[in-house]
Amino acid sequence: MAAMTPTPASTAPDTSDPAPDTGAAPAGATVQGRATPPVQRPRPRVWRGAVLLLAGAYFLVPLLASFVFTVHVPGQGVSLAAYTELLAADGFTESLLLSLGLAAATIVLSLLLAVPALVAVRIGSPRLRPVVEVMCMLPLVVPPIALVTGITTVLRWGPDYLSRTPLYQTFLAVQDERFPVVLVLAYTVLALPFVYRSLDAGLRAVDVPTLVEAARSCGASWRYVVLRVLLPNLRASLAGAAFLTLALVLGEFTIASLLGFRPFAVWIVSISGAHARMSVAVSVLSLLITWLLLLLLSRAGTSPAAVSSAPSTSPTSRKES
């Protein structure tokens, strides 16, 4: 019987796949020669809440202190006499309505000047954009006191040279105390930088040449393109421009005071010397009114609206073209 010799063990490496590891690998460990990224833990939201709390306290604590000053009378307790007397104060309603009217006129005039110019530059002459930007930003360089000095010089020069011309009545009409158009012109100049920045950001976010070309290729007129195609896409930018202009007009004091007019901000300062408690009550009320108007403008800018890039080929649209 032949002797049975044992066969030698194979020295070749085992190429079979190892059993899968069902356990999670620790952070920074290697799996099959590859390093796993460290596990990112969610950041705590404590600091975010603390920052928001401090910002809210920074804005609300002075308002609460002002409100307490208006309603707390030493020796008498809580009294709302400052607010009840405010509604019947001489000049309150007139000055508030004047400021609101000036704000509305300034918003309309600034948008009528800025929107067509920026759209035209965006579509037809992109090289003129730096020129328009510099012109719109100039009011930030010129201080309001210098601007009102120039306006005063022109107003004094007018009667001497225009008294025998038809422009004299127009010159007097722009200085009417019931509605001073000269303030609207001055406020429009001051608001141009803010209106430009808001509209420029909106136009950059919209592909204006493509929308205009698509609408024009469908037979739309330029009026239809601007009113029904571009303006709905610029709703948020228009609301932002109106937002900033309204805040500027309601809080402006220097130009109106030096020109001798009495809008809401000037009226508040005029009564502050004789009625301190009432003047603080007016300031609190003006802040609430301003915030309410700004919220309405913000709501108008974010409300959903149907935006059409091209008109339909209906008989109505063909007539408009």
Side-chain angles (χ1 to χ4, degrees):
M1 185 174 183
M4 299 179 63
T5 58
T7 58
S10 176
T11 60
D14 187 9
T15 59
S16 61
D17 295 336
D21 187 8
T22 58
T30 58
V31 177
Q32 295 183 0
R34 293 176 300 177
T36 59
V39 179
Q40 296 182 356
R41 298 179 179 179
R43 296 180 179 179
R45 299 182 178 180
V46 178
W47 293 109
R48 186 184 304 176
V51 171
L52 292 177
L53 183 62
L54 290 176
Y58 178 80
F59 288 103
L60 293 179
V61 169
L63 293 179
L64 291 177
S66 301
F67 179 74
V68 171
F69 174 75
T70 58
V71 299
H72 178 69
V73 181
Q76 299 180 6
V78 179
S79 174
L80 298 177
Y83 292 94
T84 56
E85 295 175 359
L86 175 62
L87 300 177
D90 184 21
F92 170 74
T93 305
E94 292 80 2
S95 61
L96 179 59
L97 293 178
L98 177 59
S99 292
L100 294 178
L102 292 174
T106 304
I107 291 172
V108 172
L109 181 58
S110 59
L111 292 180
L112 287 178
L113 291 175
V115 172
L118 294 183
V119 171
V121 169
R122 186 74 176 178
I123 296 174
S125 303
R127 295 183 178 180
L128 293 179
R129 181 180 173 276
V131 179
V132 177
E133 182 178 4
V134 170
M135 293 178 62
C136 292
M137 290 299 154
L138 279 179
L140 294 178
V141 181
V142 180
I145 189 66
L147 178 62
V148 73
T149 302
I151 295 174
T152 305
T153 303
V154 174
L155 294 180
R156 291 176 179 175
W157 167 84
D160 297 334
Y161 296 91
L162 300 177
S163 58
R164 297 182 180 181
T165 63
L167 295 177
Y168 183 70
Q169 296 299 327
T170 304
F171 193 81
L172 294 179
V174 299
Q175 305 179 58
D176 190 0
E177 294 183 356
R178 293 172 296 180
F179 190 82
V181 180
V182 64
L183 286 184
V184 175
L185 301 177
Y187 292 161
T188 301
V189 173
L190 294 180
L192 273 181
F194 309 104
V195 174
Y196 172 82
R197 283 304 181 191
S198 180
L199 295 178
D200 184 65
L203 289 172
R204 285 174 176 269
V206 178
D207 192 359
V208 176
T210 302
L211 290 176
V212 173
E213 183 179 356
R216 293 288 293 172
S217 63
C218 293
S221 62
W222 280 108
R223 182 175 61 88
Y224 191 98
V225 171
V226 174
L227 297 180
R228 300 294 299 276
V229 178
L230 295 181
L231 291 186
N233 285 279
L234 298 176
R235 180 184 293 268
S237 299
L238 294 174
F243 185 100
L244 297 173
T245 305
L246 177 65
L248 172 69
V249 174
L250 291 181
E252 203 284 323
F253 170 79
T254 304
I255 296 178
S257 177
L258 293 179
L259 291 180
F261 300 108
R262 202 183 186 193
F264 196 54
V266 179
W267 183 82
I268 293 176
V269 177
S270 65
I271 68 167
S272 61
H275 306 84
R277 199 177 304 277
M278 185 184 297
S279 65
V280 177
V282 172
S283 300
V284 175
L285 186 60
S286 65
L287 286 176
L288 295 178
I289 294 174
T290 304
W291 284 352
L292 179 60
L293 294 175
L294 295 181
L295 287 177
L296 292 177
L297 288 176
S298 177
R299 180 64 178 175
T302 57
S303 61
V307 179
S308 59
S309 60
S312 60
T313 57
S314 60
T316 305
S317 63
R318 291 175 182 173
K319 291 180 181 179
E320 291 180 355
S321 63

